[in-house]
């Protein structure tokens, strides 16, 4: 790597090397660095351009205020001179050479040294989360007599009320982010069109005021549109039916005031245009590429009815999510509903269109090669430009968090390491031909803490895999939780770590949506299906042997912790006695209960239980490395909401966890709040 190119890259937060999953140093190709710098608007294509870029970077006065100042509450900060702070409520306060430690939390403006910048005062930490347990739920997988082919917000309200009444303190959902309105409907909740708005597929048609207000004949037509539940969820069928039904009901609805919410008006305009031109705005006519352009204004006028319709759908989503929140509150849940924030967006979607000025155009977010993905990962998602976020006062990031937290008792942040750095793949490069770009973690994490504080929400960071120690320290320092998964809680030799030694500052679960279910792990289904899909790099016999060994390691740990009803073959209690008869291997159902007992025995603050595990489903919700080869995100649960409530396996797990984490417990206030 040319030293001058490396210096230019470092000045703009672009890594020229990284440490892989084996802790080996990997050098990034110069052409990758040049390509990523180009995505940041920095020309590094020639020696003279590099020299000019370095000169510009060095000319920046380090004493000048940054474009956004983030100040932790209770701390002061030196300024280059006297100034005036205009606080969020409009009051003004003169400051003389230093920002004082007693400024209120919030979004302010600072005028100093002939500049005016955004000043954000953030909490040092959030309140300590309560010790409780709850359900992890893929909402689309629920079903009831009133839902239409997939789980909906009515099902969620009913499930949440029941869960809270039986001792659960939270319900953790898959992302409910909006997808494009045109067919085919996107199935993955982690590649959304927008993280600021909600997927109307989850609406319950019969829970709308318009349905109740319509005439009986129209209501009968609407009812007849209801699709039956099939072996797999058919998103296109569900959306076609619900869209038709809601279009019939729209004339009975109260209009939505679009002037009061410009972001909603713009999103609804994108939806109307997407119906006409497709879900990827980059394939639209060029004159429609800019939301504020005259051609878009004309189309908004022509499509006023469709714009109003899509705005109404978001209004309905807000109403039905309010009902879910009310159900959690009425049940006394100490946390409530925890929403999932995807790591990125579809670059051709609504946020890619509306927020283009703060996104890196052409970048694809992913991950470098590791032991499981040796070619790297290309998630095809857009990424924030860190320089543009700072220049715009992090307004887009703030607004996204606020909308995500509107109906949330907690927020799970997918791939939370992205707050610190993201793997950028430049155009034309393969997934392995990328590099990391740094973000201002103090600003990103601080703003997340501020918005969660204002919403009264718990924050859980998905920090699985290879993450820097700074990520774990940063989460812990702000009373945000990391993630602990039973499958990954291992010693270097592969043995399972006893639950008593799991970290306290975490959400503990048996598995995730990308990993085998409990029953799938115990039966070797994850080996069978990956062999069938040609996803195994090793010989299938080797993988089966590895899976069998992992099962025995798990049984050994559970037996050693006295969590099994009987000692397993090969466990410590069955070894060393020549006269003893071979111990009976426990039934898989008993092992699943023991795995949940391991969660209950851990010190982790939050415990998450998957219905797939409790109900004995062997298929995992998502199979990484596949698109259409596996029914990702389309697997319904094997029981309806009513059947779940009556299932003795569910009752047993509820009793076990409620005994371990009894009663609602209020959060402990943070020391300085």
């Amino acid at each position: 790597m040319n030293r001058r190119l490396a210096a230019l890259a470092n000045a703009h937060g672009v890594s020229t090397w990284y440490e892989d999953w084996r802790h080996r140093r990997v050098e990034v190709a110069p052409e990758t660095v040049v390509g990523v710098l180009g995505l940041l608007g920095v020309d590094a294509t020639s020696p003279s351009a590099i020299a000019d870029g370095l000169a510009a970077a060095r000319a920046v006065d380090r004493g000048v205020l940054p474009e956004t100042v983030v100040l932790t509450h209770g701390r002061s900060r030196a300024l280059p001179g006297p100034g005036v702070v205009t606080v969020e409520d409009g009051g003004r306060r003169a400051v003389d050479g230093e920002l004082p430690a007693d400024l209120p939390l919030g979004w302010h403006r600072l005028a100093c040294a002939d500049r005016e910048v955004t000043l954000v005062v953030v909490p040092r930490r959030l309140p300590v989360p309560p010790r409780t347990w709850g359900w992890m739920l893929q909402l689309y997988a629920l079903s009831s007599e009133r839902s239409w082919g997939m789980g909906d917000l009515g099902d969620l309200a009913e499930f949440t009320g029941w869960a809270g009444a039986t001792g659960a303190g939270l319900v953790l959902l898959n992302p409910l982010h909006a997808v494009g309105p045109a067919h085919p409907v996107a199935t993955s909740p982690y590649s959304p069109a927008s993280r600021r708005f909600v997927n109307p597929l989850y609406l319950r048609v019969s829970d709308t005021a318009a349905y109740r207000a319509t005439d009986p004949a129209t209501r009968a037509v609407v009812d007849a549109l209801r699709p039956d539940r099939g072996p797999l969820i058919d998103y296109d069928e569900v959306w076609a039916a619900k869209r038709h039904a809601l279009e019939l009901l729209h004339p009975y609805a109260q209009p939505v005031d679009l002037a009061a919410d410009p972001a909603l008006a713009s999103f609804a305009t994108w939806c109307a245009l997407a119906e006409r031109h497709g879900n990827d705005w980059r394939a639209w006519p060029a004159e429609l590429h800019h939301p504020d352009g005259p051609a878009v204004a004309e189309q908004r006028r022509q499509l006023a009815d469709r714009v109003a319709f899509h705005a109404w759908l978001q209004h309905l989503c807000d109403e039905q999510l309010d009902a879910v929140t009310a159900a959690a509150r009425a049940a006394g849940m100490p946390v409530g509903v925890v929403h999932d924030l995807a790591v990125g967006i579809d670059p051709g979607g609504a946020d890619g269109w509306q927020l283009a000025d703060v996104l890196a155009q052409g970048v694809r977010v992913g991950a470098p090669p590791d032991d499981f993905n040796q070619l790297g990962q290309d998630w095809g998602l857009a990424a924030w430009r860190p320089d543009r976020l700072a220049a715009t006062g992090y307004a887009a990031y703030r607004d996204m968090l606020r909308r995500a937290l509107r109906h949330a008792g907690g927020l799970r942040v997918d791939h939370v390491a992205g707050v610190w750095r993201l793997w950028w793949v430049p155009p034309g490069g393969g997934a392995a031909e990328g590099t990391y770009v740094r973000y201002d973690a103090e600003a990103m994490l601080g703003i997340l803490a501020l918005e969660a504080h204002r919403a009264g929400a718990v924050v859980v960071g998905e920090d699985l895999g290879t993450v820097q120690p700074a990520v774990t320290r940063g989460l812990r320092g702000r009373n945000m939780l990391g993630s602990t998964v039973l499958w990954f809680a291992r010693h270097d030799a592969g043995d399972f770590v006893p639950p008593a030694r799991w970290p306290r500052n975490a959400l503990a679960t048996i598995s995730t949506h990308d990993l085998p279910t409990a029953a799938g792990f115990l039966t070797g289904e994850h080996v069978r299906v990956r062999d069938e899909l040609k996803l195994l790099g090793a010989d299938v016999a080797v993988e089966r042997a590895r899976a069998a060994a992992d099962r025995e390691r798990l049984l050994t740990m559970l037996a050693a912790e006295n969590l099994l009803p009987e000692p397993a073959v090969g466990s410590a209690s069955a070894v060393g006695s020549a006269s003893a008869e071979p111990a009976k291997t426990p039934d898989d159902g008993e092992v699943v209960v023991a795995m949940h007992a391991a969660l209950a025995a851990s010190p982790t603050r939050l415990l998450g239980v998957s219905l797939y595990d409790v109900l004995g489903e062997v298929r995992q919700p998502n199979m990484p490395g596949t698109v259409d080869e596996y029914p990702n995100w389309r697997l319904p649960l094997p029981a309806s909401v009513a059947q779940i409530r009556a299932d003795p396996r569910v009752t047993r797990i509820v009793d076990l966890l409620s005994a371990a984490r009894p009663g609602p417990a209020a959060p402990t206030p943070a020391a300085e709040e």
Side-chain angles (χ1 to χ4, degrees), residues 36-61:
V36 171
L37 282 169
L39 295 171
L40 290 166
V42 179
D43 185 2
T45 57
S46 68
S48 61
I50 293 172
D52 291 344
L54 270 176
R58 290 167 179 163
V60 175
D61 186 348

Side-chain angles (χ1 to χ4, degrees), residues 60-217:
V60 175
D61 186 348
R62 302 304 176 192
V64 173
L65 283 174
E67 293 170 299
T68 299
V69 175
V70 177
L71 179 69
T72 299
H73 185 258
R75 297 176 185 170
S76 59
R77 176 181 175 134
L79 296 174
V84 175
V85 174
T86 303
V87 296
E88 200 167 17
D89 63 6
R92 293 164 62 86
R93 180 170 175 179
V95 292
D96 188 9
E98 183 180 73
L99 288 173
D102 62 348
L103 286 172
L105 297 174
W107 295 83
H108 317 306
R109 298 292 294 174
L110 169 64
C112 180
D114 299 323
R115 297 190 72 186
E116 184 173 339
V117 300
T118 299
L119 168 63
V120 193
V121 180
V122 302
R124 184 179 301 171
R125 60 178 64 91
L126 295 175
V128 176
R131 294 184 76 251
T132 188
W133 71 277
W135 295 98
M136 298 191 302
L137 188 64
Q138 303 290 323
L139 178 54
Y140 57 82
L142 279 184
S143 65
S144 69
E145 292 183 355
R146 297 182 63 198
S147 53
W148 288 28
M150 63 180 282
D152 61 26
L153 294 171
D155 290 333
L156 178 59
E158 179 186 348
F159 181 87
T160 299
W162 164 80
T166 53
L170 63 96
V171 174
L172 170 60
L173 300 174
N174 59 285
L176 303 187
H177 303 319
V179 299
H183 294 280
V185 176
T187 58
S188 173
Y190 290 96
S191 299
S194 175
R195 291 183 290 181
R196 299 177 299 158
F197 296 96
V198 180
N199 190 344
L201 268 169
Y202 290 109
L203 286 171
R204 173 169 286 181
V205 174
S206 59
D207 280 357
T208 63
Y211 178 86
R212 294 187 292 271
T214 190
D215 59 89

